[in-house]
Amino acid sequence: MASEDAQVYVISVAAELAGMHPQTLRQYDRLGLVQPGRTRGRGRRYSLRDIATLREVQRLSQEEGVNLAGIKRILELENEVDRLRKQVEYLRAFAEPGRRVFTAHPSGDVVAMGPMGRSQRRRGEAPVDPRAVGAPGAIVLWRPAGR
């Protein structure tokens, strides 16, 4: 079975699956509510994720009475929340017990922190000023020992 993001459905099939007219899909594409893939000939190709989005647009419009500008904003915010959740999960993995902890040096370098909060560096890298670790503008992930 194709993945949820595989762009395989032509506009007529996507419209039927979403319960809409193909012209409605074209309008939603122009408004940026759904952004289907394109073939070399510029034909639209929709994924299952696109079709789910189309159904959500229809639900918000018909059941909740939200206008298209509001729907676009809702979809943008939902995408931002998803992106931020993934980022939190990624960062949380570094803060889990037994994982290495990193800090962002004010210069922009990412530095692994070793025992006792000392920065570790690779051979050939310039040493990091220990006073800079935890300085304003630096990000430090820290987990107390024994937790």
Side-chain angles (χ1 to χ4, degrees), residues 1-24:
M1 182 170 171
S3 82
E4 191 174 70
D5 293 317
Q7 297 172 324
V8 296
Y9 300 100
V10 296
I11 193 167
S12 59
V13 173
E16 185 175 332
L17 291 171
M20 299 177 175
H21 191 278
Q23 193 60 36
T24 304

Side-chain angles (χ1 to χ4, degrees), residues 39-138:
T39 64
R40 286 184 183 168
R42 304 289 299 148
R44 293 170 175 86
R45 291 292 185 270
Y46 293 83
S47 67
L48 288 174
R49 185 180 309 272
D50 293 330
I51 292 167
T53 300
L54 290 167
R55 289 178 180 157
E56 180 65 3
V57 168
Q58 187 174 44
R59 186 192 71 76
L60 288 168
S61 175
Q62 293 178 356
E63 295 176 20
E64 305 294 332
V66 181
N67 65 25
L68 294 179
I71 292 171
K72 184 174 183 178
R73 185 67 180 138
I74 289 168
L75 295 175
E76 289 169 349
L77 291 170
E78 286 177 347
N79 288 335
E80 180 71 5
V81 167
D82 288 342
R83 187 188 67 74
L84 291 171
R85 279 190 182 128
K86 289 175 185 172
Q87 185 177 13
V88 167
E89 289 172 21
Y90 174 78
L91 293 172
R92 187 173 284 144
F94 286 108
E96 293 299 320
R99 299 296 300 254
R100 295 180 68 173
V101 178
F102 297 85
T103 182
H105 186 273
S107 69
D109 295 330
V110 175
V111 181
M113 298 301 292
M116 306 295 286
R118 293 188 184 111
S119 63
Q120 299 174 341
R121 61 188 173 95
R122 294 185 184 128
R123 184 181 300 158
E125 290 181 343
V128 174
D129 180 355
R131 294 170 298 175
V133 175

